[in-house]
């Protein structure tokens, strides 16, 4: 299939790589061109605008940073919608708002173009290993068309309902991750202060009732003092805000998510925005909480 891919960051690099390895013809675009070098060396074609990518491909996947980036890529003068044609199908995998997902789908309908919201979960490791979970909103028939391509980097693809349902499912995921990340930070702090061997703690806890992906992915990185992203602090602040905004609309109180948003905002404001989410331990280890 002729596939376009826009957004070649931590996640997109690996996902696009799997699509290429599976033998699809790949057209790529990214804000910073140099991030496409590896893929172009492996056979992908660089194009200068999202519009050109849309013109060249039947299916275009986007995974950029924020809702404002999505708006630029889709609605810009040289954006995807400007290059849409009768066979186009656009899938946005960025973690974004359900309302923007619905807006994109409405514009797609106007142009007779399929649009899906399909954010992913599984982290940088899941993307590298091609075992992401994909949370889909939109028409099932469109998902069916894209499934073989999505399967190149996913272990689980689940359709949740109409446009926006994928983004709601991702908000649900991030609420759970808020809990596991704060739990990870507090348990590592406790274990360290009690002078327990952290490597044994991570291994043992990871095989018991408290096992979870945050611990598996980020426990070892904390032990190695490795705060490279992974998953950016700034993106987690965005995601928690989306979850809180949506919960407000449903008149829900989510005190744990509010606390996570407050602590991650504090971490970002302390200069750790571009680090990985495991840097949350710094609020304790750098003395913010422990004096
Ligand atoms: P990232 O490394 O910042 O990648 C985003 C990429 O999109 C960057 O390469 C950026 O370009 C590009 N981009 C932004 N605006 C653009 C535009 N207008 N036109 C073209 N390219 C544009 O972030 P990431 O970690 O891959 O995450 C991407 C999305 O997936 C985020 O919404 C994040 O919340 C979500 N997510 C991340 C993870 C994870 O573990 N990392 C897991 C699940 C979901 P530049 O190269 O110029 O910055």
């Amino acid at each position: 299939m002729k596939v376009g891919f826009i957004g070649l960051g931590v996640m997109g690099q690996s996902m696009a790589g799997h699509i290429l390895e599976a033998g699809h013809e790949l057209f790529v675009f990214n804000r910073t061109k140099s991030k496409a070098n590896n893929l172009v060396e492996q056979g992908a074609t660089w194009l200068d605008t999202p519009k050109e990518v849309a013109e060249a491909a039947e299916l275009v996947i986007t995974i950029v940073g924020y809702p404002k980036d999505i708006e630029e890529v889709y609605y810009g003068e040289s954006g995807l919608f400007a290059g849409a044609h009768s066979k186009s199908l656009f899938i946005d995998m960025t973690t974004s708002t359900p309302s923007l997902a619905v807006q994109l789908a409405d514009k797609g309908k106007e142009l007779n173009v399929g649009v899906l919201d399909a954010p992913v979960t599984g982290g940088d490791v899941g993307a590298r290993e091609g075992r992401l979970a994909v949370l889909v909103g939109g028409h099932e028939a469109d998902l069916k068309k894209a499934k073989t391509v999505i399967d190149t980097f996913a272990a689980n693809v689940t359709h949740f309902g109409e446009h926006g349902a994928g983004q709601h499912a991702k908000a649900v995921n991030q609420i759970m991750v808020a809990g596991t990340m704060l739990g990870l930070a507090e348990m590592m702090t406790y274990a360290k202060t009690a002078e327990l061997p952290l490597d044994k703690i991570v291994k043992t806890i990871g095989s018991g009732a408290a096992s979870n992906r945050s611990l598996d992915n980020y426990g070892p990185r904390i032990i190695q003092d490795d705060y490279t992203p992974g998953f950016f602090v700034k993106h987690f602040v965005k995601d928690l805000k989306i979850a809180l905004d949506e919960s407000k609309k449903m008149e829900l109180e989510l005190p744990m998510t509010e606390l996570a948003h407050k602590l991650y905002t504090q971490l970002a404001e302390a200069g750790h925005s571009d680090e990985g989410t495991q840097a949350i331990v710094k609020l304790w280890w750098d003395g913010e909480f422990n004096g």
Side-chain angles (χ1 to χ4, degrees):
M1 195 186 248
K2 289 176 191 291
V3 183
F5 205 103
I6 297 177
L8 303 172
V10 174
M11 299 298 283
Q13 278 284 333
S14 300
M15 292 157 71
H18 290 300
I19 295 172
L20 198 56
E21 275 162 30
H24 297 284
E25 199 176 341
L26 190 69
F27 302 90
V28 292
F29 174 75
N30 188 61
R31 186 171 53 196
T32 305
K33 188 175 177 181
S34 58
K35 289 196 188 162
N37 290 350
N38 276 343
L39 291 161
V40 170
E41 271 168 32
Q42 291 166 53
T45 304
W46 169 266
L47 293 173
D48 283 330
T49 61
K51 179 172 182 265
E52 288 173 55
V53 174
E55 285 164 351
E58 297 147 77
L59 165 64
V60 181
I61 293 176
T62 53
I63 180 159
V64 290
Y66 299 88
K68 68 171 172 40
D69 300 327
I70 299 170
E71 284 174 6
E72 198 177 312
V73 165
Y74 279 78
Y75 294 109
E77 212 173 292
S78 303
L80 282 176
F81 284 130
H85 52 82
S86 61
K87 285 190 182 159
S88 296
L89 171 59
F90 300 151
I91 306 186
D92 183 39
M93 297 199 166
T94 315
T95 304
S96 169
T97 62
S99 55
L100 181 54
V102 171
Q103 253 181 58
L104 294 176
D106 286 348
K107 179 71 184 172
K109 204 169 162 194
E110 225 178 278
L111 299 171
N112 210 14
V113 163
V115 181
L116 296 173
D117 49 303
V120 299
T121 170
D124 58 327
V125 179
R128 268 201 303 280
E129 295 179 355
R131 54 176 179 81
L132 292 171
V134 184
L135 319 168
V136 188
H139 299 324
E140 252 182 313
D142 286 333
L143 174 57
K144 212 169 158 194
K145 285 184 209 156
K147 184 76 170 36
T148 43
V149 174
I150 298 175
D151 280 344
T152 64
F153 54 76
N156 180 332
V157 183
T158 304
H159 181 251
F160 282 93
E162 274 310 309
H163 303 287
Q167 292 298 353
H168 274 301
K170 177 68 191 196
V172 166
N173 183 81
Q174 296 309 70
I175 290 167
M176 182 79 244
V177 173
T180 56
M181 288 308 295
L182 295 196
L184 175 64
E186 291 197 355
M187 83 89 178
M188 291 293 265
T189 301
Y190 185 111
K192 193 179 175 193
T193 311
E195 297 181 6
L196 294 170
L198 294 184
D199 52 344
K200 284 188 185 168
I201 283 289
V202 166
K203 211 169 161 197
T204 310
I205 303 272
S207 66
S211 67
N212 67 82
R213 192 67 70 76
S214 296
L215 172 64
D216 293 348
N217 278 353
Y218 302 123
R221 296 187 207 188
I222 291 171
I223 292 172
Q224 288 158 19
D225 257 336
D226 174 5
Y227 299 106
T228 51
F231 180 39
F232 287 105
V233 166
K234 62 187 179 188
H235 285 162
F236 201 31
V237 172
K238 161 196 57 120
D239 296 0
L240 294 170
K241 176 81 168 49
I242 291 170
L244 289 171
D245 287 347
E246 292 302 319
S247 64
K248 239 180 234 133
K249 288 182 202 164
M250 295 186 275
E251 297 183 9
L252 291 176
E253 294 263 337
L254 303 180
M256 180 207 68
T257 308
E258 269 172 28
L259 175 62
H261 181 252
K262 177 172 164 256
L263 294 179
Y264 271 99
T265 301
Q266 190 177 331
L267 186 68
E269 283 168 358
H272 303 289
S273 233
D274 285 323
E275 294 182 3
T277 47
Q278 68 274 25
I280 191 71
V281 289
K282 291 184 175 180
L283 289 184
W284 284 265
W285 292 10
D286 288 357
E288 190 69 36
F289 288 147
N290 290 339

